[in-house]
Amino acid sequence: MIAEFGQFALTLALVVSLVQAVVPMIGAYRNDGPLMATGYPAALSQLLLTGLAFGALTYGFIASDFSVATVAANSHSLKPMLYKVSGVWGNHEGSMLMWVVILALFGWAVAQFGTNLPPTLRARVISVQGMIGVAFLAFIVFTSNPFMRLDPAPFDGNGLNPLLQDPGLAFHPPLLYVGYVGFSMAFSFAVAALLEGRVDAAWGRWVRPWTLAAWTFLTGGIALGSWWAYYELGWGGWWFWDPVENASFMPWLAGTALLHSAIVVEKRDTLKAWTILLAILTFSLSLLGTFIVRSGVLTSVHAFATDPTRGVFILAILAVAVGGSLALFALRAPALQSGGLFRLISREGGLVFNNILLALACGTVFLGTLYPLFLEALSDGRDKVSVGPPYFNATFVPIMIPLVIVMAAGPLMAWKRGNLPNVMRRLVWAGLAAVAVMVWAFLLHPDGPWLAPVAMGIAAWLAVGTLTEWADRIKLFRAPLSDSWRRLKGLPRAASGMTLAHLGVAVAIAGMTGASAWQVERIQVARPGDVVPVGSYQFAFDEVTEGAGPNYNYRRAHVTLLRGDRVITELYPETRFFPVAGQSTTEAAIHTTGVADLYAVVGEADGNGGWTVRFYENPMVPWIWYGALIMSAGGFLSLSDRRHRVGAPQRAARKPVATSAEIVPAE
Amino acid sequence: MRRWLFFAPVGLFVVLGGVFLSQLLLGRDPSHIPSALVDRPVPEFVLPGVEGRDGPAGFATADLQGSLSIVNVFASWCVPCLAEHPLISGLSEDGYRVFGINHRDKDAEAAAWLRRHGDPYTGVGADRDARISVEWGVTGVPETFIVDAAGVIRYKHVGPLTPQLLEDEFMPRIRALGG
């Protein structure tokens, strides 16, 4: 009964989204207030209806109602409650349902809080959100019904993929989806602005908080996914350039570029066509990510639902959304007038440089991800290649280096016309720190790759350069501390948020560099009693015991971590076998010192009393997650800025928009 | 601003969409990995020997010329390799030339492993960083190749050998190649 209720709510949501897509748009063209006003109740009811459907499916999982096909295929009565709930989105149907709930949430948010938007723009944005809703609700209702019944119902379910039964992964998809779907706001604003024919500074101001929110969640989602891969897959790696990882990384790169170019639109009223294009592309890449994961055109460890019908459906959605918006862009963007002019050496110049490099980086990841597909299509299926880390390291890293170098200088530049000698003078400390760290890193690891000390130096350059800018703003050490404190309180939160986010990048770069360059790995067969030296540590392999968890059996090794004669800690790496799924997972045991991880995995027995063990010393790895956390914290801090708060009453009457580009219909 | 530039994004997208559609409709299975190297000459390579192992040092392309050979990719840390080891040894006892590529291993451990479990290999190359394994298209250990007298790869098996597999897949091919 509950499932039928959910199905009914979902179908109704599809109908409502049709209304939401059509009526406010007509209203905006006729400038008809009542028609435009239907956007709000439509968006609200879409949120309530999709929310009800999601609740109904969640009930099915919690109550273990195995007459619902999705529940039977993905849950099991013995599963812990956390994974019963996370099982709702740990499968294709449920995750698509979550996708539309988040979409409806954003659509409602703009209807609810966007009261300071011009009514026609708001109506159009709500309508475009509605169109995306129609597409995805139709996709769910017609190809992936989560409420399909089974008759007769099985006695028990198949269980969730054991790899996904993990607290980190329980929260990874929701964060990632808030990020992906959040970019739909930038997309809807871009399409609405093209239809409206005006992009101005105010448009930039409205788009930024939505983009920032999506970016912040996406950063968290990607970091959580990478963390999961690091400790659950037991390979000692944290990023594999796997197609599905790339699918989440490309919108992140494009979204980062969008975040920065929207600043230029807001502050300087220029770069409009480019920003619109970025907004379209960022969401398109999010859709592409969905397509890649759901269609099976590219395989990867992540692809959990592959079905050509669904693939064709999503491709149709892509064609209409991406093709349509890009065609609209081609027709209407040329008429957008650019406002302010600027010199090459200026804040704008720095942001343009940032955008070019981020777009290039995104392009290389795109090529690397899709090249195997193109090659296969061109060679009629005969040639198969896989593009791996060497390609990405060779193309992506060289693009990032100049980006990070300029990143320290950009915020120190003035708008319009920067003073390069002055900026260089202020970066003296950053330069000294970079050289010192470079030398120090080289002395610590003289036989490591030469790029590693350089990258560590660049990270130090960015960190100190960023802090310099922040310290200058509050006149730290140059004015009495009380004066600095007063200035800090007066500093816009968005500025401190930028400082934090840039610092986070520096920390993450240090982590990625250390982890890639200086990892010490030992793979061998060990017998109880063996001591395996790894770097400056020793792993003493003591014994292996067996036992049972809630829905799995485990084999647990007891490993004592030593440094010289000193016992650091005991590690208990496990291999878990899930009888329901017939699948094993590895649970790495990780001891973190804050600057390095000591990582132990136990594998198979060799039948002669020995076990395959893998021990790693992973220097700097924790900094990757610290960096991502700091970036997200910067995003949230910036979001809490009064100027970004959507719908917050303005302190002063908004200045009339100085320049706005009116579109002249093309002849 | 040149107008055609504004049409470039949508143009690129149309091409991309076409490729996606053809891939979907042709319904190829992307997880199927063909053995790209089968019926091609073995890659050019020179591998150093495993330190601490007795016998001829190293393994290189030239060793595979002249008569039929079996090339086995193994590692001391790889449990399935141990499982198939008696079969590899059996091939060697039957008079076939068997070469080993020691994949991502420590020389001392590989040498100890060979001492403990027997050393059927005519030559073993130490591929410590898996560079040559990549050339051979190795996706994991163990893998076993049949190379004919002209140095052309004729068959590749991914995963451990089993007696069944040896009888059904390997021996007929080896006999057909005149080994």
Side-chain angles (χ1 to χ4, degrees), chain A residues 123-141:
Chain A
R124 286 189 166 110
V125 170
I126 294 174
S127 160
V128 177
Q129 283 295 108
M131 291 178 200
I132 304 170
V134 173
F136 277 88
L137 283 164
F139 175 66
I140 297 175
V141 168

Side-chain angles (χ1 to χ4, degrees), chain A residues 22 32 47 83 132 136 152 171 178 323 355 389 431 512 641-642:
Chain A
V22 175
D32 180 331
L47 176 63
Y83 304 125
I132 304 170
F136 277 88
F171 301 105
V178 172
N355 267 237
M512 293 170 192
D641 193 311
R642 186 172 188 83

Side-chain angles (χ1 to χ4, degrees), chain A residues 288 291 296 311 315 318 322-323 326 329-331 334 373-374 376 380-381 384 521-525 605-606 612, chain B residues 3 6-7 9-10 13 16-17 19-21 23-24 28-30 32 34 76-77 79 82 104 106 109 116-117:
Chain A
L288 185 76
F291 173 69
L315 187 60
L318 265 179
V322 184
L326 287 177
F329 172 82
L331 292 174
L373 185 73
F374 281 112
E376 199 188 329
D380 206 19
K384 294 233 181 201
E521 175 192 44
R522 296 276 297 180
I523 305 177
Q524 66 176 74
V525 174
D606 72 351
T612 308
Chain B
R3 288 210 60 135
F6 287 89
F7 281 91
V10 66
F13 174 75
L16 187 67
V19 171
F20 280 153
L21 190 65
Q23 285 300 98
L24 276 176
R28 294 198 188 104
D29 176 9
H32 170 74
S76 69
W77 48 264
V79 174
L82 187 61
R104 287 186 76 115
K106 306 282 184 294
E109 281 150 27
R116 188 155 64 232
H117 303 295

